[in-house]
Amino acid sequence: MKVLITGVNGLLGQKLLSIFCKNKDCSFDIVAVSRGRARFDGSYKQLKYYDLDITHREQVFNIIHLEKPDVIIHAAAMTNVDYCESHQEDCWEVNVQSVVHMLQAAEAYNSFFVHLSSDFVFAGDKRFLTEEDKPHPINFYGQSKFQAEKFVLKSRVPHAVIRTAVVYGIAHKMSRSNIIFWVKRNLEDGKSIRVVDDQYRSPTLAEDLATGCYLIVQKQSTGIYNIAGGEVLTPYEMAIKIADYFGLDKSLITRTDASEFVQPAKRPLETGLVIDKAKFELGYQPHSFDQGVAILASQLDEEYCLTKG
Ligand SMILES: NC(=O)c1ccc[n+]([C@@H]2O[C@H](COP(=O)([O-])OP(=O)(O)OC[C@H]3O[C@@H](n4cnc5c(N)ncnc54)[C@H](OP(=O)(O)O)[C@@H]3O)[C@@H](O)[C@H]2O)c1
């Protein structure tokens, strides 16, 4: 089976390469695409890499016509929510228009299209959201993800839409930050941090999200799936758990609320994702947040050993 994965220089893209290239049960031909040169673990042998800007319709068509993938996993996106708010045309090109290009090109081969979406399609007025809840985005990033979902759900190719939230993990050469590094670094430096306690999220280990995508491809499951961690936590609760795990001084963490932060894009308050459908239909079993922190800590140790030679 030939699987084309977009956004392989990003966090999820890297975890997808790891799971699809290393899995021994199935054999996949992997076509990896991202913008610019390949910036991921270069040890995979059986993959082909293309430098592709997904906003370029002709390039998208050329690569899909050349490779004729059975499956496309679309992980590339403009993910900086505040940047999307202030660069709306660019955001629309990357997050919406590129999806239209890919869906149209995929029609010729009836490729199974797996699309990554976000909890930010919701307004933030409900803590536990199922696949049946109606989106109502309150920022431009959310609007772009919701419009892309609509194109996917209306398309003629078989498709799945995956909604996820607060994805944390370690990318190649530590190229992505996350709440765990931020809390750990500040507390280790003895700095106080103010962390919001009125936003509810489902933090998701990047490896778990990649596993969810893998299960969907394996079972060719169609429709909408929430693929996230199994707990709904506030950033403050996450920070306390992180401090506990690393044995850091919790008194440096001050509880605050979202009204204290002025950001270009509004954030939905409550967006916990219910993952029962993925558990029952796919056998998806994510790690707890505590386990996720421990996994990242061990990966940090490995990364430290590698950089020390
Ligand atoms: N991270 C989260 O907390 C989160 C939460 C909810 C949903 N999601 C969704 O999950 C998916 C994966 O997110 P992620 O965390 O892996 O994001 P990420 O680390 O930001 O990766 C996104 C990748 O897309 C690439 N990209 C951006 N514009 C492109 C273009 N014009 N052409 C080709 N590639 C382009 C980026 O390239 P560069 O490396 O060159 O910038 C990057 O490698 C996205 O659809 C995102 O919306 C993520």
Side-chain angles (χ1 to χ4, degrees):
M1 188 189 288
K2 190 180 272 190
V3 181
L4 185 148
I5 304 173
T6 71
V8 292
N9 283 331
L11 177 59
L12 172 62
Q14 294 182 27
K15 305 300 176 186
L16 286 169
L17 286 184
S18 172
I19 193 165
F20 276 90
C21 293
K22 287 184 185 157
N23 199 292
K24 304 220 167 27
D25 304 336
C26 310
S27 65
F28 295 99
D29 279 342
I30 300 298
V31 179
V33 304
S34 220
R35 191 168 48 180
R37 63 183 176 78
R39 282 169 275 130
F40 50 83
D41 173 0
S43 66
Y44 306 122
K45 299 217 166 46
Q46 76 276 38
L47 70 73
K48 234 186 238 178
Y49 178 79
Y50 292 98
D51 167 0
L52 170 69
D53 183 333
I54 51 169
T55 62
H56 289 183
R57 183 180 168 81
E58 204 184 318
Q59 285 179 24
V60 169
F61 270 71
N62 285 345
I63 288 178
I64 291 182
H65 288 325
L66 187 66
E67 292 295 342
K68 306 175 179 46
D70 302 297
V71 176
I72 296 173
I73 307 179
H74 183 39
M78 188 181 280
T79 54
N80 183 318
V81 176
D82 289 326
Y83 189 86
C84 287
E85 200 69 24
S86 50
H87 296 78
Q88 299 191 350
E89 271 181 36
D90 291 350
C91 169
W92 204 256
E93 281 296 308
V94 178
N95 289 357
V96 183
Q97 215 43 56
S98 70
V99 175
V100 175
H101 303 331
M102 266 182 286
L103 289 169
Q104 287 175 349
E107 274 188 20
Y109 310 103
N110 204 32
S111 315
F112 178 39
F113 195 84
V114 180
H115 180 70
L116 269 296
S117 190
S118 167
D119 60 336
F120 275 28
V121 297
F122 293 108
D125 50 6
K126 191 173 170 195
R127 191 166 305 174
F128 299 102
L129 294 147
T130 71
E131 288 81 356
E132 309 302 320
D133 280 297
K134 293 275 165 283
H136 185 83
I138 59 164
N139 60 38
F140 198 79
Y141 168 78
Q143 283 170 29
S144 72
K145 299 300 283 186
F146 183 37
Q147 182 58 54
E149 280 191 3
K150 289 200 261 188
F151 281 126
V152 175
L153 295 170
K154 266 196 328 206
S155 70
R156 283 195 281 262
V157 293
H159 51 259
V161 166
I162 296 178
R163 293 189 182 133
T164 191
V166 196
V167 184
Y168 62 92
I170 295 190
H172 189 52
K173 298 204 169 154
M174 307 295 290
S175 58
R176 294 286 185 284
S177 187
N178 61 52
I179 186 168
I180 297 171
F181 299 162
W182 178 74
V183 171
K184 180 174 182 289
R185 193 177 53 240
N186 277 289
L187 300 191
E188 280 174 349
D189 292 349
K191 292 187 185 152
S192 312
I193 52 174
R194 302 178 69 76
V195 190
V196 300
D197 199 26
D198 61 346
Q199 288 178 345
Y200 288 82
R201 301 281 184 259
S202 299
T204 308
L205 181 66
E207 280 81 354
D208 286 338
L209 176 57
T211 302
C213 297
Y214 180 82
L215 291 168
I216 282 176
V217 170
Q218 237 190 357
K219 294 178 190 288
Q220 300 274 304
S221 305
T222 55
I224 301 177
Y225 284 89
N226 288 347
I227 302 281
E231 286 151 289
V232 177
L233 301 168
T234 68
Y236 175 81
E237 289 168 338
M238 294 177 217
I240 294 293
K241 282 175 176 286
I242 295 161
D244 276 340
Y245 179 84
F246 292 104
L248 297 165
D249 182 1
K250 282 185 281 195
S251 69
L252 293 169
I253 306 173
T254 304
R255 183 197 301 258
T256 182
D257 60 60
S259 65
E260 185 178 314
F261 298 96
V262 182
Q263 292 168 298
K266 273 199 211 160
R267 300 313 198 254
L269 269 186
E270 307 196 347
T271 64
L273 296 175
V274 175
I275 56 169
D276 292 350
K277 181 179 175 191
K279 281 181 168 174
F280 295 133
E281 293 187 11
L282 308 173
Y284 172 68
Q285 285 296 342
H287 293 85
S288 68
F289 187 68
D290 287 334
Q291 289 170 331
V293 174
I295 288 170
L296 251 69
S298 69
Q299 291 173 346
L300 270 180
D301 289 343
E302 277 169 32
E303 195 74 26
Y304 179 77
C305 291
L306 284 176
T307 49
K308 287 276 155 194

